[in-house]
Amino acid sequence: MSTLFSFELLKTCKQSGARLGMLHTPHGDIPTPIYMPVGTQASVKAMTSREMHEIGTEILLANTYHLHLRPGESVIKKAGGLHRFMDWDKPILTDSGGFQVFSLAELNKISEEGVCFRSHLDGTALTMTPESAMQIQEDLGADIIMAFDVCSPYLCDHETAQANLHRTHRWAKRCKDAHTREDQALFGIVQGAFHKDLRQESAQTLSDMDFIGYGIGGLSVGEPKDMMYDMLDVTTPLLPRDKPRYLMGVGTADCLLEGVLRGVDMFDCVLATRVARNGTVLTRQGRMVIRNAEYAEDFRPIDDTCDCYACRHHSRAYIRHLIKVGEITGARLCSIHNLRYLLRLMEEIREAIKEDRLLDYKKEFYEKYDMNGAFNRGGDES
């Protein structure tokens, strides 16, 4: 591991085995387990950097694919990198763009060299390779960067998933060879679709390659949650105990808790801000569609136990009014609340691990949480 990065496993919960850690980076220390808000285009939608500080954010994400298209990594490099460009002085993680290349772009050709595709914006022909993904991310200047991988779709057959897996491993080596910046931590990404043997093979192969940390990709792409948990059960035990583990694209409260219980340290998802813009807020009881008529004269806060700005200053009725009349402040208040809810959830989870009572916390959580209000993945805020 680079001398600029280190991961401390501070303790494991005696009750559950969940991990409490600290990831040290050039832009600050990240307590784990952690939820990471997504700023796809160098901005968490509807939020300023100051507000992200105020709600307790420790690390943000940005998206390589989208920033490569607009404004271009050369512009951001001239600005002094993402931290200066977006006025954020804490850690940043950039993904490789692989998920977007395979899900958003109109694909032309996947080869050993990389992926030729057309921009979802204007149809421009583009190419992404492991080497170019590294160069773009080095120019962006995030603290943590991700290897370029092949993300297999849900219900992918074993033969196809295996071929994608082996290409992911070859590309991971090329990413390591191309990576030059010591002030950036490169994470490999475990793939294997929904085949346990392939997940195990990928975890072992990438562990042997000795990355600073490990992403777990290709999950929360439409599968039942129990299937995702099964894949985590066979994957995380094979990853190095002394390296951080990042479950990519997962951000519902129940999935965060279940992921922590299975040894995951880092999570991200756009769900919190995406549903906020439609007038849906996240609470201890599950989702609340605050735009519904039942809240028209409800003068309580969204959640009277929440310490966010929206809950301290405004009522459900007021926020519903803003959403109904199309005022952007309504979406902003819902976004502030949803992000703070997930960040606060992780604070509580870390405290429960510290006090060896995470299974008790889980029991209390599910006594209140309405599973019918659960969501699944959102890939980015395009």
Side-chain angles (χ1 to χ4, degrees), residues 272-287:
T273 48
R274 177 175 290 170
V275 301
R277 297 194 297 279
N278 295 320
T280 297
V281 290
L282 312 178
T283 76
R284 293 179 185 274
Q285 289 72 42
R287 66 177 178 178

Side-chain angles (χ1 to χ4, degrees), residues 305-317:
T305 70
C306 181
D307 59 4
C308 80
Y309 176 87
C311 289
R312 286 186 288 112
H313 293 277
H314 298 295
S315 68
R316 298 174 181 182

Side-chain angles (χ1 to χ4, degrees), residues 25 31 76 93-94 101 105 152 204 239 244 258 263 282 286 304 321 335:
T25 82
I76 293 173
L93 183 152
T94 48
V101 165
S152 295
Q204 188 61 63
L239 294 173
E258 295 292 345
L282 312 178
D304 58 14
H321 159 70
S335 296

Side-chain angles (χ1 to χ4, degrees), residues 27 78 90 108 194 224 253-255 268 271 332:
H27 282 92
K78 288 177 183 176
K90 289 188 175 185
N108 278 340
F194 296 92
D254 56 323
C255 287
D268 82 284
L271 176 142
R332 281 181 33 76

Side-chain angles (χ1 to χ4, degrees), residues 68-132:
H68 175 57
L69 297 183
R70 298 180 300 188
E73 62 274 12
S74 62
V75 172
I76 293 173
K77 184 178 182 180
K78 288 177 183 176
L82 271 174
H83 291 90
R84 289 189 179 179
F85 187 61
M86 62 187 296
D87 187 31
W88 180 254
D89 59 2
K90 289 188 175 185
I92 298 174
L93 183 152
T94 48
D95 61 19
S96 69
F99 179 80
Q100 287 71 33
V101 165
F102 286 96
S103 63
L104 286 181
E106 180 183 342
L107 292 181
N108 278 340
K109 182 180 179 183
I110 304 170
S111 69
E112 189 62 25
E113 178 62 20
V115 185
C116 298
F117 62 97
R118 294 190 178 276
S119 163
H120 75 289
L121 297 175
D122 59 10
T124 300
L126 300 166
T127 300
M128 186 83 77
T129 68
E131 291 77 14
S132 66

